[in-house]
Amino acid sequence: MTEKIIDGKEISSEIREKIKKFSDVLKKESGRTPGLAVVLVGENPASKVYVKNKIEKTKEVGFNSIEHKLDEDVSEEELLSVVDKLNNDDEIQGILVQLPLPKHINSDLVLDTIKPIKDVDGFHAENVGKLWSGLDSLVPCTPLGCSILLKKLSSDLSGKNAVIIGRSNIVGKPMAALLLGMNATVTIAHSRTKNIEELVRSADILVAAVGIPEMVKGNWVKKEAIIIDVGINRIEREGKRILVGDVDFEECMKNSSKITPVPGGVGPMTIACLLLNTLFTSYKQFGKQEIKLSDIFE
Ligand code: GUN
């Protein structure tokens, strides 16, 4: 890989090594092991792969991993009762309900039922509000991973133009809050945005999280731009199933200063940040001196 390509795999592996060290210390000092529960509803093939990877990496850093698999037709009531049990289980410090949930379930209600302190996804309204108010909170994993990559690449984003494509609660909106916190000038583009190409051309930092394969073309980006591609799209090309991002990688790589690949860019950072959140909240729940990102990266 050239320096131009941001190696999320390597950076995330370094972070996971540090988490393992902190986890070992925490376990020794507290006599307890952090537990992360993952709830998977139904048979969505992409969700199954994500959950499998999350569980594998959770075990690798020495946390307990607890999986709850529920049928596609599970009732909302039953799912809420699983979340409630996990909320009240002292062995569990983090709870993640994999999205999307089946249509008959109110996802917002489920996410808001998770205790804010165990909300390692950072999706609970209390954590969302704290993030936008600049207070300490659990931060959604994918935008947190993107912000760590950006901090590594460019220590000062002050006054830079950051354009985010996509306004989801999982990525676009929390990413905007984080970039504002880093003093960038932030614009969120979405499906109704006019002149999106022109807007993207103004970006010093582009975060693409829209779910449209290779939407951003090479001539949309400026030479100095840093491109963070959050998209994970499965497409068929030349008879093969492949993964591509929301950015045309070959074209944009030539035209930008730095770019994340798909796969191997943002994806592994998301999992590392899930483990980071679990570590942070475990320190808190075990009554230990709280740790922050700066402790991990010192
Ligand atoms: N589905 C896609 N991304 C995510 C995520 O970050 N958290 C959860 N819970 N579900 C997802």
Side-chain angles (χ1 to χ4, degrees):
M1 286 218 185
T2 66
E3 294 236 335
K4 197 168 186 168
I5 301 173
I6 306 163
D7 191 344
K9 228 170 145 182
E10 191 178 317
I11 297 168
S12 64
S13 153
E14 287 164 12
I15 295 172
R16 282 186 281 107
E17 268 171 38
K18 290 195 181 158
I19 294 173
K20 169 106 182 48
K21 285 196 183 131
F22 275 86
S23 156
D24 288 345
V25 172
L26 177 63
K27 282 155 76 171
K28 219 183 226 167
E29 283 182 357
S30 66
R32 299 176 67 184
T33 301
L36 172 59
V38 177
V39 181
L40 174 65
V41 180
E43 301 291 330
N44 180 313
S47 291
K48 279 165 104 171
V49 173
Y50 297 144
V51 165
K52 183 171 164 275
N53 289 337
K54 285 171 185 174
I55 290 172
E56 189 186 301
K57 296 289 184 273
T58 301
K59 290 179 184 163
E60 263 177 39
V61 296
F63 297 164
N64 287 331
S65 171
I66 299 90
E67 187 182 13
H68 284 266
K69 276 189 184 162
L70 303 171
D71 288 340
E72 181 82 27
D73 61 359
V74 68
S75 68
E76 186 178 279
E77 196 185 356
E78 209 172 317
L79 175 56
L80 290 175
S81 106
V82 169
V83 171
D84 194 47
K85 274 203 195 97
L86 295 170
N87 277 338
N88 294 308
D89 185 340
D90 284 345
E91 301 286 305
I92 304 291
Q93 281 64 52
I95 304 170
L96 177 144
V97 177
Q98 186 66 29
L99 301 175
L101 289 170
K103 290 214 163 35
H104 66 278
I105 292 174
N106 178 345
S107 302
D108 292 335
L109 176 63
V110 174
L111 297 178
D112 265 351
T113 301
I114 297 171
K115 260 192 196 168
I117 198 166
K118 295 192 176 186
D119 171 34
V120 282
D121 256 328
F123 294 160
H124 190 286
E126 183 176 314
N127 284 318
V128 175
K130 282 185 170 173
L131 174 62
W132 279 100
S133 305
L135 300 171
D136 260 356
S137 65
L138 286 161
V139 176
C141 306
T142 300
L144 180 60
C146 296
S147 75
I148 291 173
L149 292 178
L150 286 169
K151 272 187 204 143
K152 263 189 164 297
L153 297 170
S154 167
S155 53
D156 190 10
L157 300 190
S158 201
K160 298 250 168 92
N161 279 339
V163 174
I164 301 161
I165 314 180
R167 54 177 157 178
S168 70
N169 291 336
I170 297 183
V171 185
K173 288 183 207 161
M175 190 74 240
L178 288 172
L179 284 164
L180 275 178
M182 293 156 93
N183 298 315
T185 303
V186 183
T187 311
I188 303 185
H190 48 79
S191 54
R192 307 283 171 92
T193 300
K194 301 214 164 56
N195 297 329
I196 197 158
E197 295 185 30
E198 216 167 288
L199 186 64
V200 170
R201 255 177 229 120
S202 74
D204 301 306
I205 293 141
L206 174 68
V207 179
V210 69
I212 301 177
E214 300 176 330
M215 173 180 143
V216 176
K217 302 298 172 200
N219 63 0
W220 293 26
V221 296
K222 66 177 176 188
K223 282 258 179 270
E224 311 78 40
I226 298 176
I227 302 180
I228 307 289
D229 190 352
V230 180
I232 303 178
N233 307 294
R234 288 166 175 78
I235 63 161
E236 197 155 325
R237 179 166 294 155
E238 291 160 10
K240 277 193 211 145
R241 299 280 291 163
I242 58 163
L243 285 185
V244 296
D246 293 346
V247 163
D248 187 319
F249 182 78
E250 293 305 325
E251 284 184 21
C252 289
M253 189 179 58
K254 287 182 208 136
N255 281 0
S256 62
S257 88
K258 304 256 181 205
I259 186 166
T260 58
V262 176
V266 172
M269 292 298 292
T270 297
I271 300 186
C273 288
L274 170 67
L275 304 174
L276 259 185
N277 280 344
T278 307
L279 182 75
F280 292 153
T281 195
S282 297
Y283 265 80
K284 210 181 232 180
Q285 290 175 55
F286 294 170
K288 294 287 157 195
Q289 171 90 30
E290 286 179 34
I291 56 164
K292 292 199 166 98
L293 261 188
S294 50
D295 297 311
I296 300 278
F297 290 104
E298 68 184 357

